[in-house]
Structure formats: structure tokens, C-alpha cells
Amino acid sequence: MGHKDKDKPEQSGYEAELRLLQIELVKLQNSLISKGDQILVILEGRDTAGKDGSIKVITQHLSPRETRVVALGKPSDVEASEWYFQRYVAELPKKGEFVLFNRSWYNRAGVEVVMKFCSKSQHANFMETVNGFESILASSGMTILKYYLDISKKEQALRLQERAKDPLKQWKISPIDQQAQKNWNAYSKSRNEMLEKTSSSDAPWIIVKANDKKVAHLNMIKDLLSRVSYPGKDKNLLKVDKDITFQWEGNVSKLEK
């Protein structure tokens, strides 16, 4: 005999809403595949802000064949001597693909400049050329969605402590993580400059306040779905909380809340 319905754990409000949004993501992917469109989602943010978890809930029920998560490591000596964008170009979505970059070419506007892994001239060159590069991608028909996940300093400290204690999260610990709190203000400064100079009409930055992971997941997916067209969209599901997820419009004080 099978289990009775009353024996099943009830879905939480979060799980129920997430499931409906994941159904919308599947609808989007079906449209993407049939039309041969290309979507690139870029996830940047503070260390421990929840990029991995966000990617997991977005991709959970998507087709593995047409979905790719790209998380490039440190460039090799050969790659370091090439055009900066070259190794990323190889990972861009092909026709019908949904690709998520877990960190991206924006390393040069964040960790590389804060940790002095690049020169001032390399950083300046990146800031001058990235908008043009993304405009070329957009004009070729690619949809670029850029999300910056932000958390408070206190929340980051708690998550770093939790990560250090959890034996299942040891792979996430890096020397750069250990510098996150020490370099908090430097990361804030580089974040603000990046948002100010690289949020364009072709590829605007969207901020996700991610102190509450579940709320962040739901609002990020709603925002993503609201920015693309696909048949059968249930717009009633896609009401975004603008205090949680909003397009960057130069309001630094809104980030610090």
C-alpha cells in the first residue's frame, strides 16, 4: 500500500512558490530551444552571498543538455597573456542554450582589483571596453542578465563562520574568502564603481538583497522571468519585491540599507 496523503510532509510556502516559478523556467527553456535564442545570466556578488544556491534553484529542473553553468578558475599563464575576454567567449551560449556564469569577466572589476591581481591599466582598460563588448553580444541577439547579490557585513561574517564549521562546505573555503571581511570597504568601493560604469541599456545591473536566501531566490527568478518573453507566461506569479530585487539606478544608499 502507498502512503496516504496525510503522511506526506506539507510543502512550505517557499517550496510551493519555487515550484511554480521553476515550471515557468521550464516554459522559458522550451521557448528558448524552439526559437534558438541565447540567454546569458551573470552572477556576481559578495563572498557567501549565495550565488551557488541561486544557480542550483534556477537550474534544478532545466534540461542538462541545454543548460550550462560556467565557473572558470584562475587563468593559466597562456590565458593571462591573451585578450582578457577570450576564455569567456568560448563559454558563451550557443543557439538554444541557457548559460549561467558563476562569476565572470567582472572578476577584473572586483576581486582582481581589490586583491591586486591585475594592474591599474588592466582594470582601466576593462572598464572602458566591457560595455562595448556586451553591446556586441546583445546586438547579435543574446540576452544578457547581470545580477549582483549583496549581503550585510554582519550576515557575511555569520556565513563565513558557518562555512568554516560545516564539513560539507570545506570546498568553498579559499584564502580570498578569509580576506572578505578585512577588505569589506574596498569591495564596496569597487562594487559601486562597477555598477556605476558598467550598467548599460543593453545589459543593466540588477541588485538582489540576499540576507534572506529564500526570499532572494524567489525574487531573482521572478525578475529574470519578467525580463524575457516566452509563451504561456503567468504574469501573476512574477510580482517582484522592489526592496529585494531592483535595477541599479545609481542609488548607493539603497545598497547600504
Side-chain angles (χ1 to χ4, degrees):
M1 287 176 67
H3 291 290
K4 293 178 182 177
D5 286 348
K6 68 182 179 68
D7 293 331
K8 292 181 182 177
E10 284 190 25
Q11 279 192 321
S12 71
Y14 166 74
E15 288 168 341
E17 190 171 3
L18 178 61
R19 184 174 186 276
L20 293 174
L21 292 172
Q22 289 174 329
I23 289 169
E24 292 296 301
L25 284 166
V26 171
K27 288 184 198 174
L28 167 61
Q29 185 167 55
N30 286 337
S31 171
L32 195 68
I33 294 166
S34 65
K35 290 181 180 176
D37 291 338
Q38 300 150 284
I39 292 181
L40 174 63
V41 177
I42 288 174
L43 283 100
E44 294 288 342
R46 299 274 191 186
D47 288 319
T48 75
K51 293 178 289 297
D52 293 324
S54 298
I55 289 170
K56 186 175 181 180
V57 294
I58 290 170
T59 60
Q60 190 173 2
H61 297 290
L62 296 182
S63 163
R65 189 177 294 136
E66 285 87 11
T67 309
R68 277 190 298 120
V69 177
V70 177
L72 297 184
K74 182 182 173 184
S76 67
D77 290 343
V78 172
E79 287 170 334
S81 66
E82 294 173 341
W83 177 47
Y84 179 69
F85 294 102
Q86 192 157 331
R87 69 190 189 123
Y88 294 103
V89 168
E91 304 291 347
L92 291 171
K94 300 172 179 63
K95 295 290 184 185
E97 268 194 330
F98 190 107
V99 173
L100 301 98
F101 278 9
N102 187 348
R103 296 207 182 274
S104 66
W105 43 76
Y106 283 102
N107 277 340
R108 182 137 292 179
V111 64
E112 288 191 22
V113 69
V114 171
M115 301 298 290
K116 296 182 170 55
F117 294 157
C118 67
S119 67
K120 288 183 179 179
S121 63
Q122 286 175 321
H123 175 249
N125 180 261
F126 171 80
M127 298 296 270
E128 288 166 11
T129 59
V130 66
N131 289 349
F133 173 67
E134 290 175 353
S135 291
I136 291 169
L137 300 182
S139 65
S140 74
M142 191 178 299
T143 298
I144 305 169
L145 299 168
K146 303 190 307 200
Y147 290 94
Y148 187 91
L149 278 62
D150 212 33
I151 53 175
S152 68
K153 189 175 183 180
K154 181 180 176 182
E155 179 64 21
Q156 186 185 66
L158 291 170
R159 291 186 190 183
L160 286 168
Q161 288 171 9
E162 182 187 298
R163 183 176 286 184
K165 292 176 189 171
D166 189 341
L168 296 177
K169 292 183 178 178
Q170 296 303 297
W171 62 274
K172 289 189 171 188
I173 297 173
S174 74
I176 291 171
D177 277 355
Q178 308 309 312
Q179 300 293 316
Q181 290 271 292
K182 179 183 168 188
N183 291 316
W184 180 268
N185 291 338
Y187 275 115
S188 295
K189 183 182 175 186
S190 66
R191 173 203 64 190
N192 294 349
E193 184 184 7
M194 178 189 79
L195 294 172
E196 191 62 44
K197 293 187 177 177
T198 68
S199 190
S200 66
S201 56
D202 284 325
W205 277 107
I206 303 137
I207 311 301
V208 181
K209 304 298 283 289
N211 276 356
D212 184 316
K213 292 179 183 181
K214 290 182 177 180
V215 171
H217 292 163
L218 296 177
N219 280 280
M220 183 178 162
I221 297 173
K222 288 176 185 179
D223 182 272
L224 190 161
L225 290 165
S226 70
R227 290 175 185 273
V228 290
S229 60
Y230 58 93
K233 181 188 286 192
D234 187 345
K235 292 181 181 177
N236 292 326
L237 291 174
L238 307 183
K239 293 181 174 67
V240 180
D241 183 340
K242 296 297 184 184
D243 288 328
I244 302 296
T245 301
F246 52 92
Q247 190 163 311
W248 168 256
E249 290 172 351
N251 191 346
V252 175
S253 62
K254 198 169 179 182
L255 283 176
E256 306 303 340
K257 283 182 182 178

